[in-house]
Amino acid sequence: MARRDGWALWIGVAATLATLVVVFYYPVGRVFADAVAVDGQFSLAPVASVLGDPFYTGAAHTLVTDPGAVPSGIVRWLAAGAPPVEFGLFGFTAYQALLSTLVSVLVGLPGAYVLARFEFPGRRFLRSVTIIPFVLPSILVAVGFLAMFGRTGLFNDLLGIVGLGPVELTFTLEIVVLAHAFYNAPLVTRLVTAAWESVDADRVETARTLGASPARAFRDVILPQLLPALATAAVLTFVFTFMSFPIVLALGGLELATVEVWLFARVQSLDLTEAATLGAIETALSLGLLYVYLRYEARRTEPGGTSRGLSRRPLVDGVRSLVDPRRVAIFAYGVVALVLFAGPLVSLVIESVTTPAGQPTLDYYAFLLARQASTAAGTVRPFPAVVNSLLFGVGTLLVSIPMGVVVAVVATRGGRGSRAAEALLTAPLAVSGIVLGLGMLQALVFGTTLFGYRLTVTGPVAIVAAHAVAAYPFVSRSVTPALRSIDDRLGEAARSLGADRTRVLTDVELPLVAPALVAGAAFAFAISVGEFDSTVLLSTGVDSATMPVALERYVGDRSLGPNLGPATAMGTVLLAVTTVSFVLIDRVGGRWE
């Protein structure tokens, strides 16, 4: 029986690995191979060329000491209308990611404090919706920020009412950092709130009994228990913002190019060798950060115990609380958070039904219907894009859920090599969609020869594969902590009654973690519906275009002029589909709780 149990687990691992080899490791390996080869021969010349180019690693020193020695990369950057950044493309990418991480932590931490330490009507609902910004399509968020902070956006309209403005924030580092905070501050809030709620109240009370002040008790007892969750959130935020693509592309363009944006520009220019080299270096850096994340995540997700959590205080406690400085600061933070998180989405909807002059209109939705009826070549029609997104989402669920469960089981079984296996199976977290799309483009879409046959994977199959690779780590991240928190005695009792470990998993453990599994499925579906990075490279023609791709086409359609209306209308449709899909899956999961 033990042998059969072992074979069942290994079959699942083998199937997952086989899938990853075909649709992840081989394509990404192809990117690495192209980065260290010249004319089919091993060579570090491409890597040396990139690392030796001040455009990528630092331009100021070269320009100051030898103004005539301007590298070709800088010429391309200057041609795009932007001055070179003194610490190079990689340095600027890390710099904006660091700023985004700091702002995300500064915005997210007060929210975690409020949700963990205070009781108020709607607290549970607010805690639940903190994850919604994280699952919204990034290209949608970018359009929302354009609708809010653009020259004709809602923010400048409000400033005009009081005789101020306009303020130009588009194509600035500030708006890019704010958009990243929109995404990642809720992640900080959610992770730190969970850690704060699990702080042992008895240890805090013991410290206070021994004479520690509230500040000393926080520093010596509470803060050490929050640091692993805070470090996890910070590392994840840095990785996500380092590899950010649609937000930087839409809000910063080539003027604020990061590695991802420049890599995409190289692919469009068919400079695939340079693109592969950039992708390989970026992936190596992010893999190192993934290792740090896994270490802190393992420290954070310990088996659940019976310790008593900290009690929450009423947020509003009589008239005196209305003038309490701490609560006044909390209310001020609430206003800022409401503007940051609700403002772009509200602006998106409002701008989709108003003209630049502020008059109500449905012309932008009529434009979408006209595009739907158009037979012109190259036209991206809205309805097929919606259908494609939903179908690709379903396909992603069918692939990503079994893969995510297998990875979670490997992570919780322990034993020799389990940490290495988990890192190997979670590697897609550290690979951007652009790098994966580039690898699949070269290895699968362009085709590869195997045993004398030319094999190609194109269209929906390639897109679903890319989406599944991006989504299954989130399934495993949802299920792994839940599996670790299950009392081992339950499994031992089932084993004593004759059940093997596979039966324990299917009959005992998975039903207990069903809410976490459904939450992971909701993540996976939302990620698929909103995935843009790899899809924009893999969608051949207009027949396989998704809603995010259609949205990007409308943003960049010069025939529409400076009018953002059609893009906001398409963005509103995408927002509605994503929200309804996520809520439906989450409601289905609620039946298991």
Side-chain angles (χ1 to χ4, degrees):
M1 183 169 297
R3 177 172 297 181
R4 184 180 67 182
D5 173 45
W7 276 113
L9 176 60
W10 281 111
I11 289 174
V13 172
T16 301
L17 280 175
T19 303
L20 287 177
V21 165
V22 174
V23 300
F24 175 72
Y25 287 111
Y26 175 57
V28 174
R30 178 69 177 269
V31 173
F32 275 87
D34 289 346
V36 292
V38 175
D39 296 329
Q41 301 296 319
F42 175 79
S43 173
L44 293 178
V47 176
S49 175
V50 168
L51 295 181
D53 189 342
F55 169 70
Y56 293 114
T57 56
H61 176 72
T62 299
L63 292 177
V64 171
T65 58
D66 188 2
V70 181
S72 60
I74 295 177
V75 172
R76 293 197 300 267
W77 205 347
L78 288 170
V85 178
E86 63 178 352
F87 31 62
L89 186 66
F90 279 99
F92 175 73
T93 303
Y95 174 68
Q96 65 83 27
L98 179 61
L99 285 180
S100 299
T101 300
L102 290 175
V103 173
S104 297
V105 170
L106 290 175
V107 174
L109 270 181
Y113 170 71
V114 173
L115 290 175
R117 301 296 293 118
F118 293 95
E119 189 65 60
F120 54 89
R123 189 191 71 85
R124 291 188 63 185
F125 171 77
L126 187 62
R127 190 179 189 277
S128 298
V129 300
T130 54
I131 204 61
I132 290 181
F134 189 67
V135 300
L136 289 177
S138 50
I139 187 65
L140 168 67
V141 173
V143 174
F145 270 80
L146 287 175
M148 183 174 182
F149 293 109
R151 190 171 184 84
T152 60
L154 186 62
F155 182 70
N156 278 321
D157 290 344
L158 295 177
L159 288 180
I161 293 176
V162 296
L164 300 176
V167 176
E168 188 62 62
L169 288 177
T170 53
F171 298 102
T172 64
L173 183 58
E174 289 80 4
I175 195 173
V176 171
V177 170
L178 283 177
H180 284 160
F182 174 94
Y183 252 114
N184 296 287
L187 177 67
V188 175
T189 297
R190 195 171 183 87
L191 292 177
V192 177
T193 297
W196 216 320
E197 290 176 337
S198 65
V199 169
D200 191 345
D202 293 333
R203 293 174 60 184
V204 178
E205 292 174 1
T206 300
R208 295 297 307 278
T209 302
L210 294 175
S213 64
R216 181 70 179 272
F218 175 82
R219 187 190 70 186
D220 294 346
V221 180
I222 297 177
L223 186 58
Q225 297 183 61
L226 300 183
L227 283 179
L230 182 59
T232 297
V235 170
L236 280 177
T237 298
F238 187 88
V239 171
F240 293 148
T241 52
F242 188 88
M243 298 189 300
S244 176
F245 171 60
I247 285 178
V248 181
L249 179 67
L251 300 180
L254 289 179
E255 289 84 351
L256 294 172
T258 58
V259 174
E260 285 284 282
V261 173
W262 197 255
L263 194 160
F264 178 67
R266 294 298 88 212
V267 174
Q268 286 188 314
S269 300
L270 297 180
D271 192 349
L272 300 183
T273 299
E274 186 174 346
T277 305
L278 288 174
I281 296 173
E282 179 197 51
T283 302
L285 293 174
S286 56
L287 281 173
L289 290 172
L290 174 64
Y291 174 74
V292 174
Y293 159 69
L294 288 175
R295 291 198 63 179
Y296 275 105
E297 199 274 342
R299 290 177 54 188
R300 186 176 63 86
T301 54
E302 298 175 353
T306 58
S307 61
R308 180 170 58 92
L310 295 172
S311 59
R312 287 186 288 269
R313 303 187 298 273
L315 182 59
V316 179
D317 187 14
V319 178
R320 174 180 288 183
S321 65
L322 299 179
V323 295
D324 177 44
R326 181 183 301 179
R327 286 172 170 80
V328 170
I330 290 174
F331 290 129
Y333 165 78
V335 173
V336 173
L338 182 64
V339 172
L340 176 61
F341 296 116
L345 301 182
V346 172
S347 299
L348 177 76
V349 177
I350 291 177
E351 291 295 307
S352 72
V353 292
T354 56
T355 66
Q359 300 300 316
T361 181
L362 294 177
D363 288 348
Y364 305 136
Y365 292 94
F367 171 86
L368 296 184
L369 294 177
R371 279 293 177 98
Q372 177 63 35
S374 174
T375 58
T379 300
V380 178
R381 294 181 296 164
F383 183 71
V386 173
V387 173
N388 286 340
S389 292
L390 294 177
L391 291 178
F392 295 160
V394 173
T396 298
L397 286 181
L398 296 177
V399 179
S400 63
I401 289 178
M403 293 175 65
V405 170
V406 169
V407 174
V409 171
V410 171
T412 55
R413 286 293 190 234
R416 179 179 301 176
S418 62
R419 179 60 58 189
E422 182 187 6
L424 189 67
L425 294 171
T426 318
L429 274 177
V431 177
S432 71
I434 288 292
V435 173
L436 177 62
L438 172 62
M440 294 186 71
L441 195 67
Q442 293 178 296
L444 301 180
V445 176
F446 292 166
T448 186
T449 302
L450 185 64
F451 303 115
Y453 293 95
R454 189 70 175 174
L455 302 178
T456 59
V457 178
T458 59
V461 175
I463 293 174
V464 169
H467 289 191
V469 167
Y472 87 85
F474 291 89
V475 177
S476 67
R477 291 298 93 195
S478 297
V479 176
T480 298
L483 283 178
R484 282 181 175 149
S485 67
I486 294 177
D487 193 334
D488 291 338
R489 291 173 295 183
L490 294 176
E492 293 170 359
R495 294 291 298 275
S496 68
L497 295 175
D500 58 26
R501 295 184 71 178
T502 302
R503 188 74 178 271
V504 171
L505 174 66
T506 57
D507 292 358
V508 178
E509 294 175 334
L510 286 183
L512 289 174
V513 302
L517 182 60
V518 175
F523 268 111
F525 191 86
I527 287 170
S528 174
V529 169
E531 213 291 327
F532 173 77
D533 300 19
S534 60
T535 312
V536 73
L537 293 179
L538 298 175
S539 56
T540 55
V542 297
D543 293 336
S544 56
T546 61
M547 286 186 288
V549 173
L551 178 56
E552 189 271 337
R553 298 283 175 84
Y554 293 152
V555 172
D557 192 342
R558 299 303 180 188
S559 66
L560 303 176
N563 191 357
L564 199 64
T568 58
M570 190 67 210
T572 302
V573 174
L574 176 55
L575 175 64
V577 172
T578 303
T579 302
V580 170
S581 302
F582 189 83
V583 170
L584 285 177
I585 297 176
D586 191 56
R587 286 292 181 89
V588 172
R591 299 176 182 176
W592 293 87
E593 298 181 355

